């Protein structure tokens, strides 16, 4: 299985970046660091990344509009064939465009138990409020600052006499443990059978009059009292694959798809020429495209009246 390609954006010391980088050295780590980039050409973390043989990129934001700087960073990420972006002490507010370009693929670590203490001076605020714990959170990045779905958190006890520096130092230890674990789970989730079946289920069941049954151990989607339009093949005869099976026009299209991408597409055993199997477990699925495959397959089996009604509603 190819590892997910992660770029880390930093502004300063980069200890979280280092934690991600060293965790990635494990053979079974599902991601690799392909780029460390910064808005600060003097960021100490860049030198460490270089010494570890990781590609780096730096471009100061000074004198540039937020959008112009984000565009430059975005280009560098795309050039490095980045799948996921990990913000690790990247002290920039991001433009909505940039966030949108990496929606669902950009994570951030924040030194508080979100939703508490967004923004700066998090430890100071936790101590002043008399909290029993500070901590850290990893979340998906959305247009709102330090908002977005929380993927993992670690509470860190506040000790009597703690200063913001002493608390920050302990929270940083927790950050280093948390980030690589959450990032690993997040990138691996996209190839896990449960996640993939759930993604297909949500999409297939959104089609008119769809229902689900289990057929030969495969989740199988059809039109109520009608024909089936999609199956999910799960480790069929121990092949280790998770694949979506949908209807296509026939043998020519089947052969063509397999020729275009023989890793992703294959002829599903026992289904004949009218179906194609597409692997979902290779990572980075285009779910909009899968939506279209499902809709097309649904149309291929839907009774004319129902299809016409669906067109009308759409
Ligand atoms: C970390 O504590 C991180 O949580 C925080 O900056 C520090 C960076 O340290 N990030 C934020 O405050 C973002 N809102 P590092 O450069 O050593 O990883």
């Amino acid at each position: 299985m190819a590892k997910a390609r992660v770029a880390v954006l930093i502004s300063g010391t980069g200890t979280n970046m280092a934690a991600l980088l060293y965790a990635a050295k494990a053979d079974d780590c599902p991601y690799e660091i392909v780029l460390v980039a910064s808005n600060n050409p003097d960021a100490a973390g860049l030198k460490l990344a270089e010494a570890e043989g990781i590609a780096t990129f730096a471009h100061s934001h000074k004198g540039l509009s937020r959008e112009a700087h984000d565009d430059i960073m975005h280009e560098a990420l795309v050039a490095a064939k980045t799948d996921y972006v990990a913000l690790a002490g990247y002290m920039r507010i991001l433009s909505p465009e940039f966030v949108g370009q990496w929606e669902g693929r950009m994570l951030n670590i924040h030194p508080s138990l979100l939703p508490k203490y967004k923004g700066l001076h998090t430890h100071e605020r936790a101590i002043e409020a008399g909290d029993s714990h500070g901590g850290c959170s990893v979340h998906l990045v959305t247009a709102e600052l330090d908002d977005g779905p929380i993927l993992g958190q670690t509470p860190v006890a506040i000790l009597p006499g703690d200063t913001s520096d002493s608390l920050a130092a302990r929270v940083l230890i927790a950050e280093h443990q948390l980030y690589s674990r959450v990032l690993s789970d997040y990138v691996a989730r996209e190839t896990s059978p449960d996640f993939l079946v759930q993604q297909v289920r949500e999409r297939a069941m959104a089609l008119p009059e769809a229902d689900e049954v289990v057929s030969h151990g495969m989740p199988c989607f059809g039109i109520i009292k009608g024909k089936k339009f999609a199956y999910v093949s799960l480790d069929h005869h121990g092949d280790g694959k998770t694949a979506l099976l949908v209807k296509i026009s026939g043998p020519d299209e089947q052969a063509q798809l397999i020729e275009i991408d023989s890793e992703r597409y294959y002829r599903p055993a026992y289904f004949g020429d009218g179906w194609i199997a597409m692997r979902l477990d290779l990572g980075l699925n285009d779910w909009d495209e899968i939506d279209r495959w499902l809709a097309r397959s649904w149309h291929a089996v839907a009774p004319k009246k129902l299809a016409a009604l669906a067109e009308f509603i759409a």
Side-chain angles (χ1 to χ4, degrees), residues 12-17 88-89 91 108-111 119 146 172 175:
T13 326
T15 65
N16 274 290
M17 176 277 295
M91 303 313 253
N108 181 41
I109 187 150
H110 182 75
D146 298 330
L172 203 54
E175 290 185 38

Side-chain angles (χ1 to χ4, degrees), residues 11 38 64 81 183 218 221 291:
S11 295
S38 184
L64 290 174
K81 297 195 176 71
L183 180 62
M218 294 190 273
F221 302 90
D291 262 338

Side-chain angles (χ1 to χ4, degrees), residues 7-17 20 35-41 43 45-46 57-62 64-77 85-95 98-99 102 106-111 119-120 139 141 145-146 172 175 179:
V8 189
L9 299 190
I10 62 169
S11 295
T13 326
T15 65
N16 274 290
M17 176 277 295
L20 293 176
L35 178 72
V36 174
S38 184
N39 62 313
N40 170 13
L46 289 172
F57 175 82
H59 202 293
S60 171
H61 58 276
K62 287 184 188 148
L64 290 174
S65 70
R66 191 172 302 290
E67 288 71 23
H69 185 258
D70 283 353
D71 278 354
I72 290 168
M73 299 307 273
H74 178 70
E75 266 173 42
L77 296 173
V85 179
L87 306 181
Y90 188 58
M91 303 313 253
R92 297 277 302 155
I93 292 178
L94 306 172
S95 62
F98 184 66
V99 173
W102 295 96
M106 183 153 60
L107 287 70
N108 181 41
I109 187 150
H110 182 75
L120 299 174
H139 65 98
V141 176
L145 178 71
D146 298 330
L172 203 54
E175 290 185 38
Y179 209 175

Side-chain angles (χ1 to χ4, degrees), residues 235-255:
D235 196 22
H236 185 67
H237 292 306
D239 67 4
K241 299 173 185 168
T242 303
L244 171 67
L245 276 54
V246 287
K247 293 209 70 125
I248 46 162
S249 59
D252 289 350
E253 190 180 9
Q254 193 185 60

